[in-house]
Amino acid sequence: MSTWRWDIFCAVVDNYGDIGVCLRLGRQLAREHGVQVRLWVDDLASYRKLAAGEARAPDGLTVHHWHADLPPDALADVVVAGFSCRLPGAYLDQMAARAPRPVWINLEYLSAESWVEGCHRLPSPHPRLPLVEHFFYPGFTARTGGLIREAGLLAAQRAFRADGPAQARCWQLLQTPEPPAGALRVSMFTYESAAMAAQLEAWAAGSVPVWCGVPLGRAWRSVSAWLGCQPAPGALIQRGQLSIAPLAFVAQDDYDRLLWSCDLNFVRGEDSFVRAQWAGRPLLWHIYPQEEAAHRVKLAAFLDRYTAGLSAEAADALRALHIGWNDGALSADAWQRFEQAMPALRAHAAQWCEALAGREDLAAALVDFAKSELK
Ligand code: TRH
């Protein structure tokens, strides 16, 4: 469908997840489905941060600054509103005047909650214009839109894990020495957390060496408050059994490689949370906090799905660490229990990843849906 044109709109609310998801999707549509994609983002700086180091966008993808007067033309066959952002009125008018009318998709936030299946692909007519928007939900089951997963992702991961020089390049880009041999490797990409100090203390006082790599940013603020200093990338700070490495922020593909290199990944938001699942290793999800604690329901729904098939001890340990982290109050034995469950959690994470990889990915599901609407 190389003659197809897609417009993806991305309004950056905060942080990097909005552009992270839209960019990944745009890239994959261009690379694997041969469609022409224009990605309209209202904050180009956030795009540049994630794309840094990449030679260029793949053929078929162009990235544009979305501001009040743009885009000038509604030419696309398929229009995706990232995270259901509001499309400009003039653009909607042009969509309505176009024949045939474009397929209009509101790409929603990822949730493991079961109601998502009932809302996935639901149409909603525009109140004024002859247009229909469709709600499209990413998710974990066959009755949702699936997750972003590029072709060859798991093969690339296996190749990387067997490739010493590629691993060395990755540490170089992260501006840190390779972690000490034998240490448990943890990446820490969370928000600020009241639980951070208890977590770091548990590692420092533990029985095994732990290396914790922390990308500069929000998690780093909590880590540096605990350390009482502000070291730059390249430093390795020792506290008991714990070594802490500040990491440079790298391009998305290199962040994937960091996740592949670690035994345990602390992640957040939406995109890093999904990428940690593709890494096939244990993870801790620091969910994006929402009004009226709505995120707790979302977290519980994910934990219910994710823990199916785990032993009761491993499931309880996983839950305790997640709830402690997200509530900002880690119980005294939360880490020890998690650590004991690590072998079971590791085997489970690999199985979870394989099982998810057997489902249709989000880009393919979007293309199938658009085809069925355009026919
Ligand atoms: O940054 P996030 O917290 O993003 C979001 C936004 O807050 C958004 O408003 C909210 O709706 C959403 O979460 C749920 O977390 P996320 O989604 O994990 O996005 C981070 C992106 O940053 C992801 O694409 C990976 C990328 N990244 C890099 O490219 N390089 C890096 O070095 C690191 C640490 C991350």
Side-chain angles (χ1 to χ4, degrees):
M1 286 299 214
S2 56
T3 55
W4 264 17
R5 281 188 285 222
W6 289 51
D7 273 343
I8 301 178
F9 287 86
C10 176
V12 175
V13 178
D14 58 5
N15 306 326
Y16 304 108
D18 310 290
I19 182 64
V21 167
C22 293
L23 176 61
R24 242 183 235 296
L25 188 64
R27 266 204 218 116
Q28 193 188 351
L29 286 165
R31 277 198 187 124
E32 296 174 26
H33 297 275
V35 298
Q36 302 289 316
V37 185
R38 300 190 300 184
L39 172 56
W40 297 95
V41 55
D42 63 357
D43 173 9
L44 270 183
S46 65
Y47 157 71
R48 290 200 191 98
K49 183 124 182 170
L50 263 66
E54 286 184 0
R56 60 188 178 91
D59 291 341
L61 173 69
T62 54
V63 182
H64 307 266
H65 188 200
W66 170 21
H67 52 87
D69 308 325
L70 284 170
D73 48 31
L75 291 171
D77 304 285
V78 184
V79 177
V80 178
F83 300 108
S84 285
C85 63
R86 271 174 71 107
L87 299 182
Y91 185 86
L92 284 176
D93 289 338
Q94 289 189 46
M95 279 167 67
R98 187 180 183 276
R101 298 211 174 86
V103 180
W104 175 9
I105 299 170
N106 280 326
L107 180 62
E108 294 290 339
Y109 288 96
L110 170 64
S111 174
E113 291 162 281
S114 51
W115 61 263
V116 161
E117 291 185 338
C119 297
H120 177 51
R121 295 165 71 124
L122 276 190
S124 167
H126 191 274
R128 183 174 57 85
L129 297 167
L131 290 171
V132 178
E133 51 187 321
H134 298 90
F135 296 96
F136 209 88
Y137 283 85
F140 297 92
T141 65
R143 290 171 58 203
T144 66
L147 301 172
I148 295 182
R149 186 186 75 253
E150 300 83 354
L153 179 67
L154 299 191
Q157 178 199 107
R158 280 191 290 275
F160 175 80
R161 284 183 176 148
D163 184 344
Q167 291 164 23
R169 272 197 303 281
C170 175
W171 299 121
Q172 252 172 23
L173 288 169
L174 290 160
Q175 297 178 30
T176 193
E178 188 169 342
L184 180 82
R185 294 177 180 189
V186 183
S187 76
M188 177 66 72
F189 180 55
T190 60
Y191 306 110
E192 298 84 349
S193 173
M196 186 73 82
Q199 182 65 75
L200 298 176
E201 270 152 30
W203 285 333
S207 55
V208 297
V210 175
W211 173 92
C212 179
V214 190
L216 294 178
R218 297 185 59 178
W220 179 251
R221 284 182 216 152
S222 295
V223 173
S224 59
W226 181 77
L227 282 171
C229 60
Q230 277 291 354
L236 192 65
I237 310 109
Q238 200 69 38
R239 295 283 187 275
Q241 291 276 44
L242 172 65
S243 18
I244 296 180
L247 304 178
F249 197 95
V250 289
Q252 270 186 325
D253 289 349
D254 296 310
Y255 176 63
D256 270 345
R257 294 183 186 106
L258 170 66
L259 297 173
W260 301 346
S261 304
C262 289
D263 302 298
L264 169 62
N265 293 300
F266 281 59
V267 285
R268 70 188 203 191
E270 179 160 326
D271 192 53
S272 58
F273 167 55
V274 171
R275 305 313 282 186
Q277 291 171 67
W278 294 134
R281 297 269 167 87
L283 63 92
L284 184 293
W285 185 25
H286 194 187
I287 190 169
Y288 187 80
Q290 285 174 285
E291 302 270 303
E292 296 171 7
H295 59 280
R296 287 206 182 140
V297 179
K298 242 176 125 172
L299 176 64
F302 172 71
L303 290 174
D304 285 349
R305 272 190 206 287
Y306 188 81
T307 53
L310 269 173
S311 69
E313 297 80 48
D316 287 350
L318 185 85
R319 274 179 201 284
L321 196 69
H322 270 87
I323 291 165
W325 247 89
N326 282 285
D327 287 355
L330 223 51
S331 65
D333 64 347
W335 171 249
Q336 282 89 331
R337 288 168 60 204
F338 191 91
E339 191 180 23
Q340 276 163 17
M342 273 290 274
L345 292 173
R346 190 169 167 119
H348 183 73
Q351 284 161 11
W352 174 261
C353 170
E354 285 298 326
L356 285 184
R359 307 233 162 86
E360 185 177 41
D361 67 86
L362 181 66
L366 282 166
V367 168
D368 285 349
F369 177 71
K371 272 186 196 156
S372 69
E373 289 295 309
L374 274 176
K375 71 174 183 300

